[in-house]
CSV table of all heavy atoms in Angstrom, one decimal:
chain,number,residue,atom,x,y,z
A,711,SER,N,116.6,3.1,121.6
A,711,SER,CA,116.5,2.0,122.6
A,711,SER,C,117.7,1.0,122.1
A,711,SER,O,117.7,0.7,120.9
A,711,SER,CB,115.2,1.4,122.5
A,711,SER,OG,115.2,0.2,123.2
A,712,GLY,N,118.5,0.6,123.1
A,712,GLY,CA,119.6,-0.4,122.7
A,712,GLY,C,120.8,0.4,122.3
A,712,GLY,O,121.8,-0.3,122.0
A,713,SER,N,120.9,1.7,122.4
A,713,SER,CA,122.1,2.4,122.0
A,713,SER,C,123.2,2.4,123.1
A,713,SER,O,124.3,2.8,122.8
A,713,SER,CB,121.8,3.8,121.6
A,713,SER,OG,121.3,4.5,122.8
A,714,GLY,N,122.8,2.0,124.3
A,714,GLY,CA,123.8,1.8,125.4
A,714,GLY,C,123.8,3.1,126.3
A,714,GLY,O,124.6,3.1,127.2
A,715,LYS,N,122.9,4.0,126.1
A,715,LYS,CA,122.9,5.2,126.9
A,715,LYS,C,122.6,5.0,128.3
A,715,LYS,O,123.3,5.7,129.2
A,715,LYS,CB,121.9,6.3,126.3
A,715,LYS,CG,120.5,5.9,126.1
A,715,LYS,CD,119.7,6.9,125.3
A,715,LYS,CE,118.2,6.7,125.4
A,715,LYS,NZ,117.8,5.4,124.9
A,716,SER,N,121.7,4.1,128.7
A,716,SER,CA,121.5,3.9,130.1
A,716,SER,C,122.6,3.1,130.8
A,716,SER,O,122.9,3.4,131.9
A,716,SER,CB,120.1,3.0,130.3
A,716,SER,OG,119.0,3.9,130.0
A,717,THR,N,123.2,2.3,130.0
A,717,THR,CA,124.4,1.5,130.6
A,717,THR,C,125.5,2.5,130.8
A,717,THR,O,126.2,2.5,131.9
A,717,THR,CB,124.9,0.4,129.6
A,717,THR,OG1,123.8,-0.5,129.4
A,717,THR,CG2,126.0,-0.4,130.1
A,718,LEU,N,125.7,3.5,129.9
A,718,LEU,CA,126.7,4.5,130.1
A,718,LEU,C,126.4,5.3,131.3
A,718,LEU,O,127.3,5.6,132.2
A,718,LEU,CB,126.8,5.4,128.9
A,718,LEU,CG,127.7,6.6,128.9
A,718,LEU,CD1,129.1,6.1,129.2
A,718,LEU,CD2,127.6,7.5,127.6
A,719,GLY,N,125.1,5.7,131.6
A,719,GLY,CA,124.8,6.4,132.8
A,719,GLY,C,125.1,5.6,134.1
A,719,GLY,O,125.6,6.2,135.0
A,720,ARG,N,124.9,4.3,134.0
A,720,ARG,CA,125.1,3.5,135.2
A,720,ARG,C,126.6,3.4,135.4
A,720,ARG,O,127.1,3.4,136.6
A,720,ARG,CB,124.6,2.1,135.0
A,720,ARG,CG,123.1,2.1,135.1
A,720,ARG,CD,122.4,0.7,134.7
A,720,ARG,NE,122.9,-0.3,135.7
A,720,ARG,CZ,122.5,-0.5,136.9
A,720,ARG,NH1,121.6,0.2,137.4
A,720,ARG,NH2,123.0,-1.5,137.6
A,721,LEU,N,127.4,3.4,134.4
A,721,LEU,CA,128.9,3.4,134.5
A,721,LEU,C,129.4,4.6,135.1
A,721,LEU,O,130.3,4.6,136.0
A,721,LEU,CB,129.5,3.2,133.1
A,721,LEU,CG,129.5,1.8,132.5
A,721,LEU,CD1,129.8,1.8,131.0
A,721,LEU,CD2,130.5,0.8,133.2
A,722,LEU,N,128.8,5.7,134.7
A,722,LEU,CA,129.2,7.1,135.2
A,722,LEU,C,129.0,7.2,136.7
A,722,LEU,O,129.6,8.0,137.4
A,722,LEU,CB,128.5,8.2,134.5
A,722,LEU,CG,128.8,8.4,133.0
A,722,LEU,CD1,127.9,9.5,132.4
A,722,LEU,CD2,130.2,8.7,132.8
A,723,LEU,N,128.2,6.4,137.2
A,723,LEU,CA,127.9,6.4,138.7
A,723,LEU,C,128.5,5.2,139.5
A,723,LEU,O,128.2,5.1,140.6
A,723,LEU,CB,126.3,6.4,139.0
A,723,LEU,CG,125.6,7.7,138.6
A,723,LEU,CD1,124.1,7.5,138.9
A,723,LEU,CD2,126.1,8.8,139.5
A,724,ARG,N,129.2,4.4,138.7
A,724,ARG,CA,129.8,3.1,139.3
A,724,ARG,C,128.6,2.3,139.8
A,724,ARG,O,128.8,1.6,140.8
A,724,ARG,CB,130.8,3.4,140.4
A,724,ARG,CG,131.7,2.3,140.7
A,724,ARG,CD,132.7,2.5,141.7
A,724,ARG,NE,132.9,1.3,142.5
A,724,ARG,CZ,134.0,1.1,143.3
A,724,ARG,NH1,134.9,1.9,143.4
A,724,ARG,NH2,134.1,-0.1,144.0
A,725,LEU,N,127.6,2.2,139.1
A,725,LEU,CA,126.5,1.2,139.4
A,725,LEU,C,126.8,-0.1,138.7
A,725,LEU,O,126.1,-1.1,139.1
A,725,LEU,CB,125.1,1.8,139.1
A,725,LEU,CG,124.7,3.0,139.8
A,725,LEU,CD1,123.3,3.5,139.3
A,725,LEU,CD2,124.7,2.8,141.3
A,726,THR,N,127.7,-0.1,137.9
A,726,THR,CA,128.2,-1.3,137.2
A,726,THR,C,129.7,-1.0,136.9
A,726,THR,O,130.1,0.1,136.7
A,726,THR,CB,127.4,-1.7,136.0
A,726,THR,OG1,127.8,-2.9,135.4
A,726,THR,CG2,127.4,-0.6,134.8
A,727,ARG,N,130.5,-2.1,136.8
A,727,ARG,CA,131.8,-2.0,136.5
A,727,ARG,C,132.1,-2.1,135.0
A,727,ARG,O,131.5,-2.8,134.2
A,727,ARG,CB,132.7,-3.0,137.2
A,727,ARG,CG,132.6,-2.8,138.7
A,727,ARG,CD,133.7,-3.6,139.4
A,727,ARG,NE,135.0,-2.9,139.4
A,727,ARG,CZ,135.4,-2.1,140.3
A,727,ARG,NH1,134.7,-1.8,141.4
A,727,ARG,NH2,136.6,-1.5,140.1
A,728,PRO,N,133.1,-1.3,134.5
A,728,PRO,CA,133.4,-1.4,133.1
A,728,PRO,C,134.2,-2.6,132.7
A,728,PRO,O,134.9,-3.1,133.4
A,728,PRO,CB,134.2,-0.1,132.8
A,728,PRO,CG,135.0,0.2,134.1
A,728,PRO,CD,134.0,-0.4,135.1
A,729,THR,N,134.1,-3.0,131.4
A,729,THR,CA,135.1,-4.0,130.8
A,729,THR,C,136.4,-3.4,130.5
A,729,THR,O,137.5,-3.9,130.7
A,729,THR,CB,134.5,-4.5,129.5
A,729,THR,OG1,133.1,-4.9,129.7
A,729,THR,CG2,135.3,-5.6,128.9
A,730,ALA,N,136.4,-2.1,130.2
A,730,ALA,CA,137.7,-1.3,130.1
A,730,ALA,C,137.3,0.2,130.3
A,730,ALA,O,136.2,0.6,130.1
A,730,ALA,CB,138.2,-1.5,128.6
A,731,GLY,N,138.4,1.0,130.5
A,731,GLY,CA,138.3,2.4,130.6
A,731,GLY,C,138.0,2.9,132.0
A,731,GLY,O,138.1,2.1,133.0
A,732,ARG,N,138.0,4.2,132.1
A,732,ARG,CA,137.9,4.8,133.5
A,732,ARG,C,136.8,5.9,133.5
A,732,ARG,O,136.5,6.4,132.4
A,732,ARG,CB,139.3,5.6,133.8
A,732,ARG,CG,140.4,4.7,134.0
A,732,ARG,CD,141.7,5.5,134.0
A,732,ARG,NE,142.0,6.2,132.7
A,732,ARG,CZ,142.7,7.3,132.6
A,732,ARG,NH1,143.2,7.9,133.6
A,732,ARG,NH2,142.9,7.9,131.4
A,733,VAL,N,136.4,6.2,134.7
A,733,VAL,CA,135.5,7.4,134.9
A,733,VAL,C,136.2,8.3,135.9
A,733,VAL,O,136.5,7.8,137.0
A,733,VAL,CB,134.1,7.1,135.4
A,733,VAL,CG1,133.3,8.3,135.7
A,733,VAL,CG2,133.4,6.3,134.3
A,734,LEU,N,136.5,9.4,135.6
A,734,LEU,CA,137.2,10.4,136.5
A,734,LEU,C,136.2,11.3,137.1
A,734,LEU,O,135.5,12.1,136.4
A,734,LEU,CB,138.4,11.1,135.8
A,734,LEU,CG,139.4,10.2,135.1
A,734,LEU,CD1,140.4,11.1,134.4
A,734,LEU,CD2,140.1,9.3,136.1
A,735,TYR,N,136.2,11.5,138.5
A,735,TYR,CA,135.4,12.5,139.1
A,735,TYR,C,136.5,13.4,139.8
A,735,TYR,O,137.2,12.9,140.7
A,735,TYR,CB,134.5,11.9,140.1
A,735,TYR,CG,133.8,12.9,141.0
A,735,TYR,CD1,132.8,13.7,140.4
A,735,TYR,CD2,134.0,12.9,142.3
A,735,TYR,CE1,132.2,14.6,141.2
A,735,TYR,CE2,133.4,13.9,143.1
A,735,TYR,CZ,132.5,14.8,142.6
A,735,TYR,OH,131.8,15.7,143.3
A,736,LYS,N,136.5,14.6,139.3
A,736,LYS,CA,137.5,15.5,139.8
A,736,LYS,C,138.9,14.9,139.7
A,736,LYS,O,139.6,14.9,140.7
A,736,LYS,CB,137.3,16.0,141.2
A,736,LYS,CG,135.9,16.8,141.3
A,736,LYS,CD,135.6,17.3,142.7
A,736,LYS,CE,134.4,18.1,142.7
A,736,LYS,NZ,134.0,18.5,144.1
A,737,ASP,N,139.2,14.3,138.6
A,737,ASP,CA,140.5,13.7,138.2
A,737,ASP,C,140.8,12.4,139.0
A,737,ASP,O,141.9,11.8,138.8
A,737,ASP,CB,141.6,14.6,138.5
A,737,ASP,CG,141.6,15.8,137.5
A,737,ASP,OD1,141.1,15.5,136.3
A,737,ASP,OD2,142.0,16.9,137.8
A,738,LYS,N,139.8,11.8,139.7
A,738,LYS,CA,140.0,10.6,140.5
A,738,LYS,C,139.2,9.5,139.9
A,738,LYS,O,138.0,9.7,139.7
A,738,LYS,CB,139.6,10.8,142.0
A,738,LYS,CG,139.9,9.7,142.8
A,738,LYS,CD,141.2,9.9,143.6
A,738,LYS,CE,141.6,8.6,144.3
A,738,LYS,NZ,143.0,8.6,144.7
A,739,ASN,N,139.8,8.3,139.6
A,739,ASN,CA,139.1,7.2,139.0
A,739,ASN,C,138.1,6.6,139.9
A,739,ASN,O,138.5,6.1,141.0
A,739,ASN,CB,140.1,6.1,138.5
A,739,ASN,CG,139.5,5.0,137.7
A,739,ASN,OD1,138.2,5.1,137.5
A,739,ASN,ND2,140.2,4.0,137.3
A,740,ILE,N,136.8,6.7,139.6
A,740,ILE,CA,135.8,6.2,140.6
A,740,ILE,C,135.9,4.7,140.8
A,740,ILE,O,135.4,4.2,141.8
A,740,ILE,CB,134.4,6.7,140.2
A,740,ILE,CG1,133.9,6.0,138.9
A,740,ILE,CG2,134.2,8.1,140.2
A,740,ILE,CD1,132.5,6.2,138.6
A,741,PHE,N,136.5,4.0,139.8
A,741,PHE,CA,136.6,2.5,140.0
A,741,PHE,C,137.8,2.1,140.8
A,741,PHE,O,137.9,0.9,141.2
A,741,PHE,CB,136.6,1.8,138.6
A,741,PHE,CG,135.3,2.1,137.8
A,741,PHE,CD1,135.3,3.0,136.7
A,741,PHE,CD2,134.2,1.5,138.2
A,741,PHE,CE1,134.2,3.2,136.0
A,741,PHE,CE2,133.0,1.7,137.5
A,741,PHE,CZ,133.0,2.6,136.4
A,742,SER,N,138.7,3.0,141.2
A,742,SER,CA,139.7,2.6,142.0
A,742,SER,C,139.7,3.3,143.4
A,742,SER,O,140.6,3.4,144.2
A,742,SER,CB,141.1,2.8,141.4
A,742,SER,OG,141.2,4.1,140.9
A,743,MET,N,138.5,4.0,143.6
A,743,MET,CA,138.3,4.7,144.9
A,743,MET,C,138.3,3.8,146.1
A,743,MET,O,137.7,2.7,146.0
A,743,MET,CB,137.0,5.6,144.9
A,743,MET,CG,137.2,6.9,144.1
A,743,MET,SD,135.6,7.8,144.0
A,743,MET,CE,136.0,9.3,143.3
A,744,LYS,N,138.8,4.2,147.2
A,744,LYS,CA,138.7,3.5,148.5
A,744,LYS,C,137.4,3.7,149.1
A,744,LYS,O,136.7,4.7,148.6
A,744,LYS,CB,139.9,3.8,149.4
A,744,LYS,CG,141.3,3.6,148.7
A,744,LYS,CD,142.3,3.0,149.7
A,744,LYS,CE,143.4,2.5,149.0
A,744,LYS,NZ,144.1,3.4,148.0
A,745,ARG,N,137.0,3.0,150.1
A,745,ARG,CA,135.7,3.1,150.7
A,745,ARG,C,135.3,4.5,151.0
A,745,ARG,O,134.2,4.9,150.7
A,745,ARG,CB,135.7,2.2,151.9
A,745,ARG,CG,134.4,1.7,152.2
A,745,ARG,CD,134.3,0.6,153.2
A,745,ARG,NE,133.0,0.5,153.8
A,745,ARG,CZ,132.8,0.0,155.0
A,745,ARG,NH1,133.8,-0.5,155.7
A,745,ARG,NH2,131.6,0.0,155.5
A,746,GLY,N,136.2,5.2,151.7
A,746,GLY,CA,135.8,6.6,152.1
A,746,GLY,C,135.6,7.5,151.0
A,746,GLY,O,134.6,8.3,150.9
A,747,GLU,N,136.5,7.4,150.0
A,747,GLU,CA,136.3,8.2,148.8
A,747,GLU,C,135.1,7.9,148.0
A,747,GLU,O,134.4,8.8,147.5
A,747,GLU,CB,137.5,8.0,147.8
A,747,GLU,CG,138.9,8.5,148.4
A,747,GLU,CD,140.0,7.9,147.4
A,747,GLU,OE1,140.0,6.8,147.0
A,747,GLU,OE2,140.9,8.8,147.2
A,748,LEU,N,134.8,6.6,148.0
A,748,LEU,CA,133.5,6.2,147.3
A,748,LEU,C,132.3,6.6,148.0
A,748,LEU,O,131.4,7.1,147.3
A,748,LEU,CB,133.6,4.6,147.2
A,748,LEU,CG,132.5,4.0,146.3
A,748,LEU,CD1,132.6,4.5,144.9
A,748,LEU,CD2,132.6,2.4,146.3
A,749,ARG,N,132.4,6.6,149.2
A,749,ARG,CA,131.2,7.1,150.1
A,749,ARG,C,131.0,8.6,149.7
A,749,ARG,O,129.9,9.1,149.6
A,749,ARG,CB,131.4,6.9,151.5
A,749,ARG,CG,130.3,7.0,152.4
A,749,ARG,CD,130.7,6.6,153.8
A,749,ARG,NE,129.8,7.1,154.8
A,749,ARG,CZ,128.6,6.8,155.1
A,749,ARG,NH1,128.1,5.7,154.6
A,749,ARG,NH2,127.9,7.4,156.0
A,750,ALA,N,132.1,9.4,149.7
A,750,ALA,CA,132.0,10.8,149.4
A,750,ALA,C,131.5,11.0,148.0
A,750,ALA,O,130.6,11.9,147.7
A,750,ALA,CB,133.4,11.5,149.5
A,751,PHE,N,132.0,10.2,147.0
A,751,PHE,CA,131.5,10.3,145.6
A,751,PHE,C,130.0,10.0,145.5
A,751,PHE,O,129.3,10.7,144.9
A,751,PHE,CB,132.3,9.4,144.7
A,751,PHE,CG,131.7,9.2,143.3
A,751,PHE,CD1,131.8,10.3,142.4
A,751,PHE,CD2,131.1,8.1,143.0
A,751,PHE,CE1,131.2,10.2,141.1
A,751,PHE,CE2,130.5,7.9,141.7
A,751,PHE,CZ,130.6,9.0,140.8
A,752,ARG,N,129.5,9.0,146.2
A,752,ARG,CA,128.2,8.5,146.2
A,752,ARG,C,127.2,9.6,146.7
A,752,ARG,O,126.2,9.7,146.1
A,752,ARG,CB,127.9,7.2,146.9
A,752,ARG,CG,128.6,6.0,146.3
A,752,ARG,CD,127.7,4.8,146.2
A,752,ARG,NE,128.3,3.7,145.7
A,752,ARG,CZ,128.5,3.4,144.4
A,752,ARG,NH1,128.1,4.3,143.5
A,752,ARG,NH2,129.1,2.3,144.0
A,753,ARG,N,127.7,10.4,147.6
A,753,ARG,CA,126.8,11.5,148.0
A,753,ARG,C,126.8,12.7,147.0
A,753,ARG,O,125.8,13.4,147.0
A,753,ARG,CB,127.1,12.0,149.5
A,753,ARG,CG,128.4,12.7,149.7
A,753,ARG,CD,128.5,13.2,151.1
A,753,ARG,NE,127.3,14.1,151.4
A,753,ARG,CZ,126.9,14.3,152.6
A,753,ARG,NH1,127.3,13.7,153.7
A,753,ARG,NH2,125.9,15.2,152.8
A,754,GLN,N,127.8,12.8,146.2
A,754,GLN,CA,127.9,13.9,145.3
A,754,GLN,C,127.2,13.5,144.0
A,754,GLN,O,127.0,14.5,143.1
A,754,GLN,CB,129.4,14.3,145.0
A,754,GLN,CG,130.1,14.9,146.2
A,754,GLN,CD,129.4,16.2,146.6
A,754,GLN,OE1,128.8,16.8,145.8
A,754,GLN,NE2,129.7,16.6,147.9
A,755,ALA,N,127.0,12.3,143.7
A,755,ALA,CA,126.5,11.9,142.4
A,755,ALA,C,125.2,11.0,142.6
A,755,ALA,O,125.4,9.9,143.1
A,755,ALA,CB,127.6,11.1,141.7
A,756,GLN,N,124.1,11.5,142.2
A,756,GLN,CA,122.9,10.8,142.4
A,756,GLN,C,122.1,10.6,141.1
A,756,GLN,O,122.5,11.1,140.1
A,756,GLN,CB,121.9,11.8,143.2
A,756,GLN,CG,122.5,12.0,144.6
A,756,GLN,CD,122.4,10.8,145.5
A,756,GLN,OE1,121.4,10.1,145.6
A,756,GLN,NE2,123.4,10.5,146.4
Side-chain angles (χ1 to χ4, degrees):
S711 164
S713 61
K715 57 191 190 302
S716 289
T717 304
L718 177 58
R720 291 174 58 77
L721 285 166
L722 293 176
L723 287 177
R724 201 181 139 158
L725 297 178
T726 184
R727 294 196 79 91
T729 307
R732 294 172 294 154
V733 172
L734 305 178
Y735 173 69
K736 296 181 176 172
D737 295 328
K738 184 96 193 166
N739 185 2
I740 64 170
F741 296 106
S742 54
M743 281 179 172
K744 302 219 166 51
R745 206 165 157 205
E747 292 170 319
L748 186 60
R749 193 172 155 83
F751 169 70
R752 292 230 182 276
R753 66 175 301 156
Q754 292 299 339
Q756 297 286 320

